[in-house]
Amino acid sequence: MELAYYSDYAVRLVNSEEPARDKDSLTSVEAVRELFGANAQAARRATDADVTRFRSVRARLRAVFEAADKGDETLAVDLLNSLLLEFPVSPQISGHDHRDEDGRPLWHMHLADHPSNATTGYTAIAAMGLAFHLTEYGVDRLGLCEAPPCRNAYLDTSTNRSRRYCSDRCATRANVAAYRARKRLEADRPENTGRAADSAQRSSASGER
């Protein structure tokens, strides 16, 4: 579904905080504006008051991902529905000056943000985009990175539903950690086997006496 790409708004906001690392990049109005990406017109509406409002929405969006990650589909949907009701969106047909080779507008659906304040507009788009992604691909396509301590949100668009990490960096780090753990286990096995054999020999010798 074309509108599913708006779900990236939700991911960007959720990942502006890394609780396990005690990091939070959402500390200024400039940080809020950066979340809008190329939507500069909407970003200009952001004020200092939006910092607190965005943090509140961020916690609610993370709760959606956490519920999905735990397999609680009903809770994830209920939490997302509450955001959709509170922050309604205005769908519009748009051409954006894009034309086909015959000069006709390339019409597509667009989610118009709300002019009241930056938080309202951003949340409406983020929630609706996430809803489209969820209904198109399934609740289990909303995940949290499995590479500790990272718990960044991600959207799984793989063909075999195999994504487990938020980035290639985290995937590499997790694979290296797993490899090292296997090597440590393999290194311990001969030593433990040798100790067991020595113990058995000592017991046998003691019995013969």
Side-chain angles (χ1 to χ4, degrees):
M1 170 108 25
E2 182 180 338
L3 294 178
Y5 80 91
Y6 281 111
S7 56
D8 189 52
Y9 275 60
V11 174
R12 288 203 300 267
L13 179 53
V14 171
N15 292 346
S16 66
E17 180 185 31
E18 297 181 66
R21 293 189 173 108
D22 197 26
K23 292 183 179 180
D24 188 350
S25 63
L26 195 57
T27 58
S28 66
V29 65
E30 288 76 18
V32 169
R33 289 170 178 160
E34 288 178 4
L35 291 171
F36 284 89
N39 195 348
Q41 182 176 355
R44 283 195 291 270
R45 292 201 303 268
T47 66
D48 289 332
D50 285 300
V51 176
T52 300
R53 290 194 289 254
F54 263 68
R55 285 180 169 182
S56 176
V57 170
R58 179 179 64 188
R60 296 172 65 181
L61 285 170
R62 175 169 282 277
V64 175
F65 280 91
E66 289 175 343
D69 188 64
K70 294 175 182 176
D72 195 338
E73 295 189 14
T74 300
L75 178 58
V77 170
D78 287 345
L79 292 171
L80 188 52
N81 272 336
S82 69
L83 284 166
L84 292 170
L85 288 171
E86 188 174 343
F87 300 94
V89 73
S90 299
Q92 294 179 350
I93 300 174
S94 175
H96 284 319
D97 298 328
H98 297 300
R99 305 278 174 170
D100 62 19
E101 55 187 28
D102 296 323
R104 298 173 58 189
L106 294 173
W107 301 115
H108 62 277
M109 290 301 298
H110 171 74
L111 299 183
D113 54 8
H114 294 241
S116 56
N117 62 67
T119 303
T120 300
Y122 192 98
T123 307
I125 291 175
M128 183 58 75
L130 198 57
F132 274 116
H133 191 96
L134 184 153
T135 54
E136 179 75 4
Y137 300 108
V139 178
D140 58 339
R141 294 301 190 108
L142 279 61
L144 293 174
C145 187
E146 293 183 5
C150 180
R151 294 293 284 167
N152 276 353
Y154 66 83
L155 299 170
D156 184 6
T157 56
S158 63
T159 55
N160 57 356
R161 299 173 181 265
S162 61
R163 185 170 180 179
R164 296 293 179 269
Y165 307 105
C166 69
S167 64
D168 290 340
R169 179 182 179 184
C170 276
T172 300
R173 184 161 52 85
N175 289 334
V176 169
Y179 173 79
R180 290 175 176 171
R182 287 195 301 271
K183 286 300 182 181
R184 285 195 298 269
L185 184 61
E186 291 171 0
D188 288 342
R189 281 174 182 166
E191 182 178 352
N192 291 335
T193 302
R195 288 176 180 174
D198 290 343
S199 177
Q201 289 176 357
R202 286 193 298 269
S203 296
S204 176
S206 176
E208 291 174 355
R209 294 193 195 100

